[in-house]
Amino acid sequence: MHRLAADSQPIYLARGPRCAMFFTELTGNRIGRIDADGRLREYDIPTPDSRPIAVAAGRRGHMWFTEEAGAAYAELDPDNGRITEHRTDVPGAKLAGLAFDCFGNLWVQYNQPGLIDRVSPDLTTSRYTLPTTAPVGHRIISGPDGSMWFSELAADNVGSITTGCPPPPRRLESAV
């Protein structure tokens, strides 16, 4: 068990490079890391009170996370602790989930408003507007069909966006 500061509120977990576990500290305004040997490290986020939500392993061995109150998605270089924030251009935005597809595109889901951004490796953004009014986006993951699947907490919906990623190969069943 790793005891964190009383203000931490760890919320999301993701496996990162070199078998380390990373987590967001919602009110602690940090990204935490526990190495395979049990060593705990914490990285302060530059934007005060950013409320980091989701975290995922991504490009170049970096960890990516969303900032609900910081209106940004960000990347952490675990080797040097540098955090680079990428601000959204959406007024009043609150970011929630994020995940990567098979092409290395980062998918960022907004809690408010009902938007999902696809961020390519060169940081070019494509935006998808959800038809639901006030959906409260919550989670997004790559599904077994190669699409990005997402939940809309307040609207009681689950949806998907086709990415062009092929589904993984099916396992052949062996005869007994």
Side-chain angles (χ1 to χ4, degrees), residues 38-151:
R39 179 177 172 208
L40 171 67
R41 299 183 207 184
E42 293 172 297
Y43 306 93
D44 292 322
I45 298 171
T47 299
D49 302 318
S50 68
R51 291 180 59 85
I53 302 288
V55 62
R59 308 176 194 133
R60 299 182 311 276
H62 291 187
M63 298 303 293
W64 293 72
F65 60 94
T66 54
E67 298 178 11
E68 180 184 56
Y73 58 93
E75 68 181 295
L76 163 67
D77 181 338
D79 292 335
N80 60 25
R82 182 176 308 129
I83 292 175
T84 305
E85 295 173 300
H86 306 278
R87 301 259 174 250
T88 180
D89 60 356
V90 177
K94 293 182 184 288
L95 279 64
L98 79 159
F100 285 89
D101 68 18
C102 71
F103 300 117
N105 295 310
L106 173 66
W107 292 77
V108 180
Q109 184 179 27
Y110 290 67
N111 180 309
Q112 295 173 1
L115 301 171
I116 295 175
D117 285 349
R118 182 186 69 211
V119 183
S120 66
D122 68 2
L123 301 179
T124 304
T125 301
S126 302
R127 182 159 290 147
Y128 297 82
T129 302
L130 303 177
T132 310
T133 304
V136 184
H138 208 254
R139 302 276 197 275
I140 188 165
I141 65 168
S142 179
D145 61 352
S147 297
M148 296 305 292
W149 287 80
F150 59 91
S151 63

Side-chain angles (χ1 to χ4, degrees), residues 2-69:
H2 294 274
R3 188 84 176 132
L4 306 174
D7 70 343
S8 298
Q9 292 187 327
I11 185 169
Y12 261 80
L13 294 163
R15 188 178 66 213
R18 293 180 287 286
C19 298
M21 291 302 298
F22 288 79
F23 54 94
T24 54
E25 296 182 32
L26 182 65
T27 55
N29 207 51
R30 292 178 294 269
I31 301 300
R33 169 184 177 172
I34 301 172
D35 291 330
D37 64 5
R39 179 177 172 208
L40 171 67
R41 299 183 207 184
E42 293 172 297
Y43 306 93
D44 292 322
I45 298 171
T47 299
D49 302 318
S50 68
R51 291 180 59 85
I53 302 288
V55 62
R59 308 176 194 133
R60 299 182 311 276
H62 291 187
M63 298 303 293
W64 293 72
F65 60 94
T66 54
E67 298 178 11
E68 180 184 56

